[in-house]
Amino acid sequence: NTQPSSTSTSIFSGQSSFSTASAPSKPTPKQDTAVAKDAEDDKVEKVETKLADDEELLHEVRAKVMWFKKQDGDGSWASKGTGQLLLLKQKGGNLRWLLMRTETTGRVTYNCPLFASLKVTVDSKSKAVSFVAVSYTEDKTGNLVAENDGKPSLFRIRVKTPEFAEALGKALEDAIPSA
């Protein structure tokens, strides 16, 4: 089953379209926990990547984006959701950014420009990549707004395997624009 595609605009370029397709059925109770977890991950409708004419896909991976939310001197990790994380580049330009839509709603929950001084840390054991940056999200009306009052936040992007974390870290390092 294919649903109609929806269109949204990233903060840097023209329109990007994404459509969803149905996924496999739920695992049987006889499957072991690891297989059941993998099948559960796969049953969520996938967001099909369609790029605007001025966008180039540099890397793509299913990920969960977390950010460290500070409140009254304390802080805790908060989820921005799980979905296809795209590393995009503007064709003919120097702009690069990460974009993620949630798998459940297709809403942009993470839109993060990359900048020359970005420091990426890969933690293969935790299957994660971390860095400090400013991000943008879609409000209820579909407009992109800066999060955390436009102040940088600590982000942690979790992926399925240590190899995926290493590949994402390398792709980010390679994509960081020169000063």
Side-chain angles (χ1 to χ4, degrees):
N1 297 337
T2 302
Q3 297 176 347
S5 61
S6 61
T7 303
S8 181
T9 305
S10 76
I11 60 171
F12 299 111
S13 63
Q15 296 185 337
S16 296
S17 299
F18 297 84
S19 63
T20 58
S22 64
S25 62
K26 199 170 185 175
T28 64
K30 294 180 182 178
Q31 293 176 307
D32 69 6
T33 307
V35 173
K37 176 69 175 130
D38 287 346
E40 187 70 22
D41 288 346
D42 292 340
K43 85 174 181 78
V44 178
E45 291 187 6
K46 301 297 181 191
V47 177
E48 184 181 320
T49 304
K50 291 186 181 178
L51 304 176
D53 290 340
D54 64 342
E55 294 174 336
E56 178 183 336
L57 180 64
L58 301 177
H59 190 79
E60 180 176 12
V61 65
R62 184 171 186 270
K64 180 174 187 174
V65 177
M66 307 284 290
W67 67 292
F68 195 74
K69 189 175 183 178
K70 292 183 181 178
Q71 291 178 322
D72 301 325
D74 291 332
S76 62
W77 288 101
S79 175
K80 299 194 66 44
T82 301
Q84 285 301 110
L85 181 73
L86 309 176
L87 175 56
L88 301 169
K89 176 186 176 198
Q90 179 187 35
K91 289 181 181 176
N94 199 31
L95 299 175
R96 291 158 177 83
W97 65 99
L98 287 167
L99 178 75
M100 188 184 78
R101 292 177 177 274
T102 59
E103 291 176 336
T104 54
T105 65
R107 187 174 72 88
V108 172
T109 59
Y110 188 65
N111 196 337
C112 178
L114 303 185
F115 50 92
S117 62
L118 186 73
K119 301 292 182 231
V120 177
T121 303
V122 177
D123 182 353
S124 297
K125 186 175 179 180
S126 296
K127 303 178 275 189
V129 175
S130 302
F131 53 86
V132 174
V134 175
S135 77
Y136 299 80
T137 190
E138 239 177 40
D139 66 12
K140 292 180 182 181
T141 62
N143 294 316
L144 289 173
V145 293
E147 296 181 295
N148 195 25
D149 297 322
K151 297 175 187 166
S153 298
L154 176 60
F155 289 96
R156 186 168 184 86
I157 301 174
R158 297 226 29 215
V159 293
K160 193 171 187 173
T161 67
E163 295 78 17
F164 288 175
E166 291 289 338
L168 176 59
K170 180 168 180 3
L172 283 169
E173 289 288 342
D174 291 347
I176 293 173
S178 54

